[in-house]
Amino acid sequence: MTRTRIILIVIVGLFILIQLIPLNQTNPPIVQDAAAPADIKLILKTSCYDCHSNETKWPWYSRIAPGSFLITHDVVEGRKHLNFSEFSELDGFDSTDIADEMLDVLEAGEMPILPYLLLHPDASLSDSQTKALMGWAKSLASE
Ligand code: HEC
C-alpha cells in the first residue's frame, strides 16, 4: 500500500469514528415561553431561538462531526446564557439583567453569531429589527 493510501484510510476511519461520539442534541420541554408581541416573537424565532430556546431546529449538517461539536456547543452555551423557553420569575430570573445583556449584544451587533449567519442569512437583523428588539428589551427592564 502506498503511504498516501494509508493516510487516506486513517483520515476516513477517524471521520467515521468521531461520528460515534454522542451529542447532547435534545430539545428539553418548554417551561415558560417568553411572552412578546407577535412581531417581536417572529424576530426572536427567526434569529435567536435556534440557540436560545428549547425549540432548536437541528438541520442534517448539525448531526455530522466535527461541525456538530461546534453547533451543539453553541446551543448549550446559548441556552445557559439566555433561554426564551425558560423565561420566568422563577429560579433567580432577573428581567433587568436579561434586558441589559440583550441591549449590550444588540447594540454591539454581536448576535446572532457570524458562523450561524453564514448558514442562515435570513436570521440577520435589519436596523429596524434591532431597534424593535431593543425596545422590547427596555420594556422588560422596567417590568
Ligand atoms: C448560533 C447560536 C446563537 C444564535 C442564533 C444567537 N445567539 Fe446569543 N449567544 C450564543 C452563545 C454561544 C452565547 C454565549 C457565549 C457568548 O457570549 O458569546 C450567547 C450569548 C447571548 C447573550 C448573553 C451575553 C452575555 O453577556 O452573557 C445574549 C443576551 C444573547 N446571546 C442574545 C441573543 C439574541 C437577542 C439573539 C437573536 C437576535 C441571539 N442571541 C442569537 C449563541 C447564539
Side-chain angles (χ1 to χ4, degrees), residues 104-118:
D104 282 351
V105 300
L106 289 168
E107 214 155 330
E110 285 172 355
M111 291 287 154
I113 53 178
L114 191 59
Y116 180 78
L117 285 181
L118 296 177

Side-chain angles (χ1 to χ4, degrees), residues 51-70:
C51 301
H52 293 293
S53 83
N54 295 345
E55 298 180 62
T56 306
K57 290 191 199 81
W58 300 98
W60 62 267
Y61 54 80
S62 73
R63 313 274 183 195
I64 297 171
S68 56
F69 303 147
L70 301 175

Side-chain angles (χ1 to χ4, degrees), residues 76-139:
V76 170
E77 282 304 306
R79 283 177 182 163
K80 247 189 244 165
H81 281 80
L82 170 65
N83 190 337
F84 291 115
S85 300
E86 298 177 14
F87 214 69
S88 76
E89 303 297 323
L90 304 169
D91 299 331
F93 177 91
D94 185 334
S95 55
T96 309
D97 275 359
I98 290 188
D100 281 349
E101 282 178 9
M102 282 199 24
L103 287 172
D104 282 351
V105 300
L106 289 168
E107 214 155 330
E110 285 172 355
M111 291 287 154
I113 53 178
L114 191 59
Y116 180 78
L117 285 181
L118 296 177
L119 293 161
H120 300 84
D122 60 319
S124 170
L125 296 176
S126 66
D127 287 350
S128 65
Q129 288 175 318
T130 303
K131 254 194 217 139
L133 284 188
M134 289 178 79
W136 180 63
K138 281 183 192 144
S139 75

